[in-house]
Amino acid sequence: MSRPVLALRAPGTHAAVGDLLELHCEALRGSPPILYWFYHEDITLGSRSAPSGGGASFNLSLTEEHSGNYSCEANNGLVAQHSDTISLSVIGKLT
């Protein structure tokens, strides 16, 4: 299985409080089914399954506490691979 790639998708150029953030994790090579785990500061946010392969997404409604480092893990029951870490800074809503 290849090392998964994590992408953070926010509505704008900056992640702000109240925005919906999509974490998308995908291992380009690996035999399905693949279970993806999503982490914030090494704390598990949750998991998603990709029964036929491909990637999986996890959505968060952002608060200021969501600033920090994110990563994901892909596990197909034979091999588990961890993604690189992505840092996110969440800004407060402008009044």
Side-chain angles (χ1 to χ4, degrees):
M1 168 143 47
S2 65
R3 187 173 192 177
V5 176
L6 177 65
L8 303 183
R9 300 173 182 162
T13 52
H14 298 288
V17 171
D19 283 351
L20 188 67
L21 175 73
E22 178 188 350
L23 287 74
H24 184 79
C25 187
E26 184 166 3
L28 298 178
R29 292 187 313 277
S31 56
I34 299 174
L35 184 62
Y36 291 97
W37 290 90
F38 295 88
Y39 299 95
H40 173 237
E41 301 294 355
D42 297 325
I43 296 168
T44 304
L45 294 170
S47 63
R48 296 288 184 266
S49 180
S52 54
S57 295
F58 186 88
N59 294 325
L60 281 176
S61 182
L62 292 176
T63 67
E64 289 178 3
E65 288 75 37
H66 284 120
S67 290
N69 295 316
Y70 288 84
S71 63
C72 68
E73 180 184 273
N75 187 331
N76 67 355
L78 302 171
V79 179
Q81 291 272 14
H82 217 81
S83 72
D84 288 334
T85 299
I86 296 180
S87 187
L88 177 74
S89 181
V90 179
I91 58 173
K93 279 285 188 199
L94 300 175
T95 54

